[in-house]
Amino acid sequence: MGNKNKVFCSQVIVLLAIWAVSIGLSCKETNERSKIEWKNIESGLQSALITAENDDTIRLKAGYFWFTRGLMMDGKDRIVIKGEGMDKTVLSFKGQTEGAEGLRISNCSNIQIIGLTVEDAKGDNIKVTETNGLYFSDVKVQWTEGAKETNGAYGFYPVLCKNIVIENCVAARASDAGIYVGQSDSVIIRNNTVYENVAGIESENSRFVDIYENHTYNNTGGILIFDLPGLTQTGRHTRVFHNKVVSNNHKNFAPKGNIVGMVPPGTGIMILASRDAEIFENEISNNRTSPLSVISYELVAAMGSDGNSESASGSGQGVKDNYKSDTTYNPYPENIYIHSNIFSNKHWFPTLKSDFGKLFLTRFFMKTPDIQFDGFENDTSEKGLRLCIQEENVRFANLNAPENLKNMNKDISVYNCQGEILSPAVVRSFYEKY
């Protein structure tokens, strides 16, 4: 083979490798998947989920299994669904023609899902509703054809649940959040890896939540703590600590109108209209635009006033410009304590793929603030904002959004106060036998 042909072949191999990575699979995974034998166990597994009795364990062998319909389980207690391990037992919904979710669990208690992968569902990969006692371990959820707007909204999607543990799991390429908990109580999210999602981890209107020792990288936003209007409960009491929140600079690929579409690429941690939150001892590095931000729904509503409100796609929630009609909703953050985090940023400039990035480039040239506060406060609350920040060597900005970004303030000293040390989240330990 001549030198020119060798060079050409090398270039082709490199391009194929780049293509494989770009669609979400490594070269090793691509090669392995080209040789596998896919099997259909749709009927048998759905029957097992329907006929399972309390205390049953449904065991899945190692292998690759494809489905055309979503799986469902309803009204069960103390069921374990156990595979041979992440990447060994793979349930693929790539050819799904019926149902919105890959696996849907509802009205259950004490459910454990261990050791398997669920991928490429038409909507959410795993959705769980109104369940008390939920444990995920060694589970991967992903979309395998890259980060795309047409991917499902959520990887893990517990909503209206209690006593949840998600640990040692992986979530990738969700068009909303890789790991999400919504309107739920008593939650632990720990030791997970999340990447290439719009939001890596999102806690929404949930209470007594601990998020720790996770690795979030290459998402649009690493960790989001949101409180939104029009939902059944208000969120509070969230601790975010000991996480690695690194290089979350991915392009935002959320469907138009979804609220996470407002998250600027380069966001590390964002607190939106939530209260009683403690953010401490995290490594927050190389998030280009907004390493840590505290904002109100006033700002979100203003950003959504371009006609995109109320047009969310899939399971995602849209921006509600009529949020004031929810008289129980407080759009302002309150009682936020930020301390003892490690900030670093090797990037001189924010990304310019959002208005925030352009703002920070022009107003804080080559000095993107590490901590940003939009400046909205609840003037009618007796407790007030209570934003306490105890950090060393960080850049801060109060954007003063209520006055249309005029007179921005870099003075962090007015927020130097001792905040509230929150108690740990407590989850009933129904899952300890595994």
Side-chain angles (χ1 to χ4, degrees), residues 166 179 181 187-192 201 209-212 214:
I166 303 173
I179 297 176
V181 291
V187 180
I188 292 175
I189 300 171
R190 63 188 174 201
N191 299 321
N192 302 290
I201 297 172
V209 180
D210 274 2
I211 301 171
Y212 61 94
N214 301 284

Side-chain angles (χ1 to χ4, degrees), residues 332-378:
Y332 305 101
E334 291 180 355
N335 193 28
I336 310 298
Y337 186 25
I338 300 166
H339 64 97
S340 309
N341 297 285
I342 299 173
F343 290 88
S344 64
N345 195 347
K346 69 179 181 181
H347 300 286
W348 289 6
F349 306 111
T351 66
L352 300 181
K353 297 176 181 177
S354 71
D355 291 340
F356 280 110
K358 296 169 186 173
L359 172 70
F360 295 142
L361 178 65
T362 56
R363 299 293 186 90
F364 306 94
F365 185 67
M366 296 181 67
K367 295 181 179 178
T368 303
D370 298 305
I371 302 175
Q372 303 152 8
F373 170 49
D374 69 0
F376 281 105
E377 299 184 35
N378 187 354

Side-chain angles (χ1 to χ4, degrees), residues 180-200:
Y180 169 98
V181 291
Q183 303 170 76
S184 296
D185 288 356
S186 301
V187 180
I188 292 175
I189 300 171
R190 63 188 174 201
N191 299 321
N192 302 290
T193 301
V194 293
Y195 59 93
E196 297 178 16
N197 306 282
V198 174

Side-chain angles (χ1 to χ4, degrees), residues 31-316:
N31 291 334
E32 289 177 348
R33 291 202 169 202
S34 66
K35 302 173 184 176
I36 61 178
E37 179 183 356
W38 290 87
K39 298 178 181 178
N40 186 291
I41 57 170
E42 192 167 274
S43 178
L45 181 53
Q46 182 57 76
S47 296
L49 294 171
I50 292 172
T51 60
E53 297 184 355
N54 296 342
D55 292 310
D56 274 358
T57 296
I58 299 172
R59 297 187 182 277
L60 298 171
K61 296 180 179 179
Y64 290 79
F65 307 105
W66 60 274
F67 301 82
T68 61
R69 292 173 292 180
L71 299 166
M72 295 181 290
M73 185 171 74
D74 181 76
K76 304 293 184 182
D77 183 27
R78 303 189 303 275
I79 300 297
V80 179
I81 302 172
K82 193 171 190 304
E84 293 294 323
M86 184 191 300
D87 295 325
K88 293 182 178 178
T89 300
V90 177
L91 313 184
S92 173
F93 294 84
K94 196 169 185 176
Q96 185 173 10
T97 58
E98 294 183 27
E101 297 89 14
L103 173 59
R104 178 167 184 156
I105 296 170
S106 55
N107 304 304
C108 291
S109 55
N110 307 320
I111 303 301
Q112 302 180 58
I113 301 177
I114 303 168
L116 51 84
T117 292
V118 178
E119 63 186 34
D120 291 325
K122 189 176 180 181
D124 312 310
N125 267 327
I126 303 178
K127 181 175 183 178
V128 185
T129 62
E130 298 183 87
T131 290
N132 187 359
L134 178 63
Y135 178 63
F136 291 103
S137 179
D138 190 32
V139 175
K140 178 190 282 186
V141 290
Q142 65 174 346
W143 281 266
T144 61
E145 294 190 347
K148 300 192 300 184
E149 180 180 327
T150 53
N151 290 351
Y154 302 107
F156 296 94
Y157 185 23
V159 63
L160 298 169
C161 295
K162 295 179 179 178
N163 294 300
I164 304 167
V165 175
I166 303 173
E167 65 179 6
N168 304 319
C169 293
V170 175
R173 307 180 198 98
S175 66
D176 196 301
I179 297 176
Y180 169 98
V181 291
Q183 303 170 76
S184 296
D185 288 356
S186 301
V187 180
I188 292 175
I189 300 171
R190 63 188 174 201
N191 299 321
N192 302 290
T193 301
V194 293
Y195 59 93
E196 297 178 16
N197 306 282
V198 174
I201 297 172
E202 181 179 356
S203 174
E204 186 176 286
N205 293 60
S206 293
R207 303 181 294 203
F208 309 107
V209 180
D210 274 2
I211 301 171
Y212 61 94
E213 296 180 359
N214 301 284
H215 186 194
T216 73
Y217 67 93
N218 200 24
N219 305 281
T220 304
I223 299 175
L224 312 182
I225 311 300
F226 279 12
D227 238 57
L228 304 182
L231 300 176
T232 59
Q233 73 174 38
T234 299
R236 59 184 169 87
H237 202 109
T238 304
R239 302 194 314 158
V240 179
F241 59 101
H242 297 176
N243 298 284
K244 290 185 176 180
V245 186
V246 180
S247 300
N248 291 287
N249 303 311
H250 198 286
K251 176 185 176 182
N252 193 321
F253 57 98
K256 187 177 181 180
N258 285 19
I259 192 167
V260 293
M262 300 292 181
V263 177
T267 295
I269 298 174
M270 177 180 284
I271 302 167
L272 165 59
S274 194
R275 56 207 43 78
D276 304 333
E278 185 181 6
I279 315 299
F280 62 100
E281 297 177 5
N282 299 284
E283 175 189 335
I284 305 170
S285 61
N286 299 326
N287 302 284
R288 293 181 61 177
T289 306
S290 183
L292 198 164
S293 57
V294 181
I295 66 173
S296 69
Y297 203 87
E298 294 265 18
L299 180 65
V300 172
M303 293 171 62
S305 62
D306 59 356
N308 292 328
S309 302
E310 306 279 11
S311 56
S313 300
S315 304

